[in-house]
């Protein structure tokens, strides 16, 4: 019996050891293990998703697992999430520097590049890239998690959380819903909560809140605000744009909005006065560009340069298939963009009703998915579910500074802002975002004093 147990344990270790990273180029000394590689998600072995996994810095065997998903659709959770937002390292020239506010201080963090065609993830059948939609993405993500736990069985019994931002407002709830359905047949996922940052949840509310945000922050005039709310609101413009037929009135309104807001203001962080990095491009699909408008991308993008190094790809066990360059957002994926219009807030409601805690948080300097829209959507859900306010709207603190504002409904639905944060809150306000993340994992109220 002892021999059989030893063999089983040996086989478990064997399954994930080839994915262990021995050392990343330019990496500083670390006290934790990290892994990366591919998980095949179809039976014909034509489609494989790439992941990066950083164990918790301290007591990884006691910490939960958090799956992190970035948005787009079609942008990289490894490049944006792991190497620029809440992962343990950030590229700096030829080196990696430690992120002192990495989320693996509190959890074991799993970053997934999905769907296939994003980052290092691939399909050898290139016809797959045409018409990928939310349903396909959710199913592949579910299979990924099933098979990832098969490779890392020591994590099966851990508390599991899913977090993400932007278009992950679709990815995360849809995956969580499939996990709950899967658990009805076979208990595998110990899902304990989801967190959604500046998420797309309800197309019309989220997008139409942009006019109010622009106006309230002084980016557009009174007359343009009136046009932007009466003649052509933003959801109408996006709907027309993705159907290939922008009306003359919407074209005129958007040209006026573009002139006043200026191409020199970063719409993902309206207070930012530096060049727009391609790291912040995960929501370009949420903000269609006028033909005459161009995004000012920084010439040297540290992450793109780093992940395109062959020695880095070798260390990550990664390869480029179907594309000759790693990019923040996929150029080969033809995603079904009209899925953007399908609300996911109803799925969030079903998760709340099933007892899954949900946190929606907003960087308050983001005009792409403004806090005003998210706040309305969450409040509307609370009313629809009959949830009473259990924590009235109040400030929360990080250190001796206000970290943001929060409100809690019932014991499962929370809303919070991160003060001074952009669309990518952990990138622009890492310290405050870590406080928010820790409170979410521990199901504790955000600090109300210092």
């Amino acid at each position: 019996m002892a021999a059989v147990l030893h063999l089983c344990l040996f086989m478990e270790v064997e399954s994930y050891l080839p994915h262990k990273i021995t050392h990343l180029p330019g990496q500083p000394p670390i006290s934790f293990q990290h892994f990366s590689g591919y998980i095949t998600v179809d039976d014909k072995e034509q489609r494989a998703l790439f992941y990066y996994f950083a164990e918790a810095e301290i007591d990884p065997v006691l910490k939960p697992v958090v799956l992190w998903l970035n948005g787009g659709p079609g942008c990289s959770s490894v490049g944006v999430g792991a190497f620029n937002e809440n992962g343990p390292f950030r590229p700096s020239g030829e080196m990696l520097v430690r992120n002192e506010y990495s989320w693996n201080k509190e959890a074991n963090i799993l970053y997934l590049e999905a769907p296939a065609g994003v980052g290092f993830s691939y399909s050898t059948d290139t016809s797959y890239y045409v018409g990928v939609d939310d349903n396909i993405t959710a199913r592949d993500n579910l299979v990924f998690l099933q098979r990832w736990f098969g490779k890392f069985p020591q994590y099966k019994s851990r508390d599991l959380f899913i977090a993400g931002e932007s278009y992950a407002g679709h990815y995360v709830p849809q995956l969580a819903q499939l996990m709950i359905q899967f658990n009805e047949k076979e208990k595998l996922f110990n899902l304990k909560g989801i967190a959604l940052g500046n998420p797309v949840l309800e197309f019309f509310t989220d997008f139409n809140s942009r006019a109010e945000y622009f106006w309230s922050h002084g980016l557009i005039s009174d007359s343009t605000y009136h046009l932007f709310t009466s003649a052509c609101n933003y959801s109408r413009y996006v709907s027309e744009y993705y159907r290939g037929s922008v009306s003359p009135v919407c074209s005129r309104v958007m040209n006026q909005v573009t002139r006043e807001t200026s191409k020199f203001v970063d719409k993902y962080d309206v207070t930012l006065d530096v060049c727009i990095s391609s790291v912040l491009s995960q929501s370009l699909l949420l903000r269609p560009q006028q033909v005459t408008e161009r995004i000012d991308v920084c010439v040297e993008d540290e992450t793109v340069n780093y992940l395109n190094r062959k020695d880095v790809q070798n260390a990550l066990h990664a390869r480029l298939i179907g594309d000759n360059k790693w990019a923040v957002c996929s150029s080969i994926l033809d995603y079904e963009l009209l899925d953007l219009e399908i609300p996911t807030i109803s799925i969030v409601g079903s998760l709340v009703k099933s007892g899954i805690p949900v946190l929606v948080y907003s960087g308050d300097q983001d005009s792409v998915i403004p806090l005003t829209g998210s706040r309305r959507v969450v409040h509307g859900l609370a009313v629809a579910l009959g949830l009473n306010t259990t924590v009235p709207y109040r400030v929360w603190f990080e250190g001796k500074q206000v970290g943001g504002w929060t409100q809690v409904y019932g014991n499962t639905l929370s809303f919070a802002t991160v003060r001074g944060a952009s669309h990518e809150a952990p990138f622009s306000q890492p310290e405050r975002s870590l406080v928010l993340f820790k409170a979410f994992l521990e199901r504790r109220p955000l600090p109300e004093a210092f």
Side-chain angles (χ1 to χ4, degrees), residues 1-11:
M1 184 68 180
V4 172
L5 179 60
H6 176 76
L7 178 61
C8 289
L9 291 173
F10 177 76
M11 290 173 64

Side-chain angles (χ1 to χ4, degrees), residues 68 163-169 195-200 359-363 369 374 423 425:
W68 173 268
E165 67 193 14
S166 194
Y167 198 79
L196 305 165
N198 291 80
V200 182
L359 166 66
V360 175
Y361 65 91
S362 295
I369 305 294
S374 298
H423 189 74

Side-chain angles (χ1 to χ4, degrees), residues 90-255:
R90 290 183 179 175
S92 178
E94 297 292 309
M95 307 298 291
L96 291 176
V97 296
R98 286 299 301 275
N99 174 13
E100 295 304 316
Y101 305 105
S102 172
W103 285 11
N104 81 322
K105 290 182 178 296
E106 302 297 335
N108 302 284
I109 311 290
L110 175 61
Y111 300 90
L112 172 62
E113 289 191 313
V118 174
F120 295 118
S121 297
Y122 67 87
S123 171
T124 55
D125 177 6
T126 56
S127 66
Y128 163 85
Y129 297 137
V130 179
V132 178
D133 60 17
D134 285 356
N135 289 331
I136 293 171
T137 301
R139 288 199 303 269
D140 277 4
N141 289 351
L142 180 73
V143 174
F144 168 85
L145 269 183
Q146 287 175 257
R147 297 183 178 180
W148 187 86
F149 278 122
K151 187 171 286 291
F152 291 84
Q154 65 271 37
Y155 287 103
K156 280 184 181 179
S157 61
R158 302 290 181 81
D159 288 351
L160 174 64
F161 297 84
I162 317 175
E165 67 193 14
S166 194
Y167 198 79
H170 279 224
Y171 292 160
V172 173
Q174 290 163 346
L175 174 57
Q177 184 180 49
L178 289 187
M179 291 164 67
I180 290 174
Q181 292 170 358
F182 184 91
N183 275 356
E184 292 173 358
K185 302 173 184 176
E186 176 189 344
K187 176 66 175 174
L188 174 61
F189 304 111
N190 193 20
L191 184 62
K192 294 296 184 181
I194 68 171
L196 305 165
N198 291 80
V200 182
L201 293 171
E202 207 288 313
F203 174 70
F204 297 100
T205 304
D206 288 330
F207 277 58
N208 291 338
S209 64
R210 181 173 304 200
E212 180 183 13
Y213 191 92
F214 280 168
W215 177 81
S216 67
H217 285 69
L219 274 69
I220 58 176
S221 63
D222 292 356
S223 58
T224 299
Y225 173 69
H226 176 72
L227 286 174
F228 207 14
T229 52
S230 59
C232 176
N233 60 29
Y234 196 62
S235 66
R236 174 183 167 183
Y237 166 68
V238 173
S239 291
E240 291 181 355
Y241 183 93
Y242 284 129
R243 286 172 172 82
S245 179
V246 177
S247 62
V249 64
C250 278
S251 182
R252 287 195 300 272
V253 170
M254 288 309 303
N255 283 332

Side-chain angles (χ1 to χ4, degrees), residues 274-288:
V274 295
C275 61
I276 303 171
S277 166
S278 63
V279 167
L280 302 182
S281 68
Q282 69 166 313
S283 300
L284 293 184
L285 296 177
L286 307 184
R287 190 166 68 88

